[in-house]
Amino acid sequence: MSTYVRHSQFRAARRVISTKWSVGNLQRCPLHQTAIRSNTSASNEVRSENNEYLINLAVKDNIAAKGFTTTCASNILTGNKIPFDATIVRQLRDLNSTVIGKSGMDEFGMGTHSTTSAFENIHNVCGLEKYSAGGSSGGSAVAVRKGEADLALGTDTGGSVRMPAAYTGIVGFKPSYGMLSRWGVVPYANSLDTVGLLARTVDPIGKVIVQNGLYREHDPNDPTSLPSQVRERCTTERTGYGHWDSIQKSAIQHMTFGIPIEYNIEELDPRIRQGWLEAAQKIEELGGRVVPVSLPSTKNALSAYYVIAPAEAASNLSKYDGVRYGKRDTEHPSDSYEGVLYAKTRDTGFGSEVKRRILLGSYTLSSEAMDNYFIQAQKVRRLVKRDFDRVFKLSNPLEDQQPFDLSDMEDTVQLENKLGPAQVDFLLCPTAPTTPPLLEDVMKQTPLDSYMNDVLTVPASLAGLPAISVPMDIPVDPTNEEEKLLSFGGLQLIGQYWDDARLLSVASLLSSHVYHDMPRP
């Protein structure tokens, strides 16, 4: 390809980043910080009997770990102990991990700033205690950022691993849907929930997923776990699973990265936008190519998510009645209210955000609303998935390939040839539209304001695609004390389904070039 074409495509991508696209009023959401419930301190010098390094593992409080309570940060599960390990916990124990404690979260994973817990509010760390740590896996992110854990488990439904990573300056990875087992994980929304990993760098995550072969592990206990034969077929269509190399200097060369024009929203913090642009420039310097792409259905993705997720949550949480599951309300003479059995148990056991989403989900599943809301949201979800499949070079191994409809394309996207626009290996965008907000401001936000913070992470979740957030440098005014504290943002990379190995390799290399404080593997 000629130098002129490469540079003209990048100039087009630069114009996309520099131009604001309005998608409504988006405000910052706070994240909550969680503490590790254990007296064990993390240390990289701890070795096992066979002289291998032990991995200190923090486990989100909605994932079962034998010997620890699993409360999902909710009163209704106070003191709940699950007498076995979740599959993912067992797998990591087999890989020389030791569970140092359970980490705090938003109640049942419903929140953006880890502030909806029944037990504690989670704060950011390392001088940012007044700021949000992100949610719902804020406790896991804080444990990693403080050095209490080498690796942490979280769950990502619409960004709950990537958002805390962006707000705490660490790495958060959401794998392809169905790769990691969800057995032993208390569900929020079954079709969206994905077990994710958080660490200071990409290397520990790459070792677990690729080097140790976790991507091959089918779990017969989990109906959403991809079958072994399908895993083998998907893996043969991909590269990068043969071995893990944390520093593949040629990982970015000759690759094409897409800048989604719909992600450049008007409400994007100017410093985040500038960091995004500088990351794109760094990719060009490393031998990659950057082009603008269009994902037309993105503007409806957030609305669809907040119909589908609460609907599935309402169904999942219906079992918590104090009779079969959950802590029964014993403070009142009767558990019923106006003739409704176990009403008081659910009223006192669930927090306000959980009850809000149960009501929302129950309504969208009702006979009068299902066609107008739930069914329409599922159609939007299919369109979001179709948009992703059209822009990636690799085909989705679970779907039939579809041509790009030029009538859906924005005018700012250049045609690669007569067949349509350029296709890409990965998408590059911010993780969160702002730096971590003050918890004081978060508490003043309306629920809708909080939901809007997920606008950049939800699309990949709806499509079940792998996505990773790595920290990036953003411009700092040396005379502004707050900007000097908040000198980082989250940079998100999204890949095609089951392209997790290449995604991790690219993220590992790129992260060391876009963030000056990134520890070396």
Side-chain angles (χ1 to χ4, degrees):
M1 176 176 297
S2 71
T3 303
Y4 171 76
V5 173
R6 287 170 56 88
H7 288 176
S8 65
Q9 288 279 18
F10 178 72
R11 284 194 293 270
R14 183 182 183 122
R15 285 197 300 271
V16 166
I17 297 178
S18 301
T19 305
K20 301 176 182 179
W21 296 77
S22 177
V23 295
N25 294 324
L26 178 65
Q27 297 186 11
R28 299 182 240 183
C29 280
L31 296 178
H32 211 106
Q33 158 180 335
T34 90
I36 290 291
R37 295 204 301 272
S38 172
N39 293 325
T40 306
S41 60
S43 172
N44 289 329
E45 300 302 321
V46 178
R47 291 177 179 264
S48 62
E49 293 180 359
N50 58 2
N51 204 36
E52 293 181 355
Y53 284 114
L54 288 173
I55 301 172
N56 292 295
L57 178 69
V59 179
K60 189 177 178 179
D61 200 21
N62 62 344
I63 303 175
K66 191 174 182 180
F68 297 89
T69 58
T70 302
T71 69
C72 297
S74 178
N75 279 323
I76 206 164
L77 287 177
T78 300
N80 173 58
K81 284 191 175 182
I82 299 177
F84 55 82
D85 281 334
T87 297
I88 184 63
V89 174
R90 175 185 57 77
Q91 290 171 332
L92 291 177
R93 286 190 196 269
D94 292 342
L95 295 175
N96 221 34
S97 297
T98 178
V99 178
I100 62 168
K102 300 298 282 293
S103 58
M105 56 181 286
D106 282 305
E107 185 178 8
F108 283 103
M110 301 181 191
T112 310
H113 302 284
S114 300
T115 51
T116 66
S117 169
F119 309 125
E120 60 184 344
N121 284 341
I122 299 170
H123 303 263
N124 215 318
V125 289
C126 300
L128 302 177
E129 285 75 11
K130 294 182 180 180
Y131 296 87
S132 167
S136 63
S137 306
S140 294
V142 166
V144 170
R145 185 67 182 88
K146 290 176 67 177
E148 294 176 336
D150 306 311
L151 191 67
L153 286 175
T155 54
D156 193 306
T157 307
S160 295
V161 163
R162 290 162 285 161
M163 192 70 70
Y167 280 177
T168 55
I170 64 171
V171 175
F173 174 60
K174 182 196 88 70
S176 295
Y177 182 82
M179 176 176 282
L180 300 184
S181 171
R182 289 175 45 247
W183 191 75
V185 178
V186 180
Y188 165 16
N190 295 42
S191 72
L192 295 162
D193 288 344
T194 307
V195 174
L197 298 165
L198 300 104
R200 289 296 301 274
T201 66
V202 181
D203 188 51
I205 301 173
K207 286 179 177 178
V208 166
I209 299 293
V210 181
Q211 179 174 305
N212 295 315
L214 222 57
Y215 69 91
R216 293 191 295 262
E217 301 292 331
H218 166 64
D219 183 8
N221 294 319
D222 177 14
T224 66
S225 178
L226 212 62
S228 298
Q229 290 183 340
V230 181
R231 289 172 185 263
E232 292 176 7
R233 177 170 61 82
C234 292
T235 303
T236 57
E237 297 178 13
R238 301 290 186 255
T239 59
Y241 284 103
H243 70 284
W244 169 251
D245 181 0
S246 61
I247 307 179
Q248 297 185 29
K249 295 184 178 180
S250 61
I252 293 178
Q253 290 181 8
H254 312 301
M255 285 191 180
T256 305
F257 293 76
I259 301 292
I261 61 176
E262 290 83 5
Y263 284 43
N264 188 23
I265 54 179
E266 182 179 349
E267 297 81 2
L268 195 62
D269 186 305
R271 294 202 297 147
I272 297 292
R273 181 179 287 109
Q274 184 61 31
W276 183 17
L277 175 60
E278 291 175 1
Q281 292 173 331
K282 182 58 65 174
I283 287 173
E284 285 271 315
E285 294 173 11
L286 293 172
R289 179 188 177 202
V290 180
V291 299
V293 297
S294 178
L295 301 169
S297 302
T298 294
K299 59 182 180 295
N300 297 318
L302 191 66
S303 300
Y305 172 83
Y306 276 105
V307 170
I308 295 171
E312 295 187 21
S315 177
N316 281 324
L317 297 182
S318 63
K319 61 179 172 284
Y320 297 103
D321 53 16
V323 178
R324 296 166 296 173
Y325 298 95
K327 181 181 178 182
R328 191 172 184 83
D329 179 75
T330 58
E331 297 182 1
H332 299 87
S334 172
D335 192 27
S336 65
Y337 178 74
E338 294 183 354
V340 180
L341 184 64
Y342 55 75
K344 287 193 178 297
T345 289
R346 290 171 68 83
D347 177 52
T348 58
F350 291 137
S352 59
E353 182 59 33
V354 173
K355 287 187 281 190
R356 181 181 295 111
R357 299 196 191 194
I358 289 175
L359 290 173
L360 176 61
S362 298
Y363 173 71
T364 58
L365 290 176
S366 65
S367 58
E368 65 182 57
M370 176 173 280
D371 288 345
N372 290 332
Y373 291 96
F374 188 75
I375 301 300
Q376 297 300 320
Q378 293 289 7
K379 291 179 179 179
V380 169
R381 185 178 190 174
R382 293 292 303 173
L383 294 175
V384 169
K385 196 171 186 179
R386 183 200 64 181
D387 286 351
F388 280 117
D389 288 343
R390 286 174 173 176
V391 300
F392 284 123
K393 290 181 181 178
L394 295 176
S395 61
N396 189 325
L398 305 183
E399 300 284 344
D400 294 330
Q401 192 168 9
Q402 298 181 12
F404 194 94
D405 188 349
L406 297 182
S407 64
D408 293 335
M409 191 178 70
E410 292 284 349
D411 295 337
T412 54
V413 178
Q414 297 182 0
L415 294 181
E416 177 79 352
N417 50 46
K418 64 181 181 180
L419 298 178
Q423 291 185 305
V424 302
D425 295 287
F426 301 103
L427 295 173
L428 182 77
C429 61
T431 307
T434 66
T435 55
L438 286 166
L439 284 172
E440 181 183 357
D441 295 336
V442 167
M443 297 303 184
K444 299 175 183 177
Q445 289 182 342
T446 66
L448 184 59
D449 292 336
S450 182
Y451 299 163
M452 291 295 290
N453 211 44
D454 298 329
V455 66
L456 303 177
T457 54
V458 156
S461 293
L462 286 174
L465 301 180
I468 189 168
S469 176
V470 298
M472 66 175 177
D473 292 322
I474 58 177
V476 173
D477 181 352
T479 64
N480 188 312
E481 292 299 322
E482 184 177 46
E483 286 193 7
K484 287 195 288 185
L485 276 176
L486 304 175
S487 61
F488 61 89
L491 181 68
Q492 183 177 205
L493 288 162
I494 303 171
Q496 177 59 289
Y497 188 81
W498 214 260
D499 201 16
D500 302 55
R502 281 204 315 162
L503 178 68
L504 288 167
S505 295
V506 168
S508 180
L509 176 60
L510 184 60
S511 60
S512 62
H513 288 86
V514 299
Y515 187 53
H516 75 280
D517 201 26
M518 177 63 70
R520 297 295 176 183

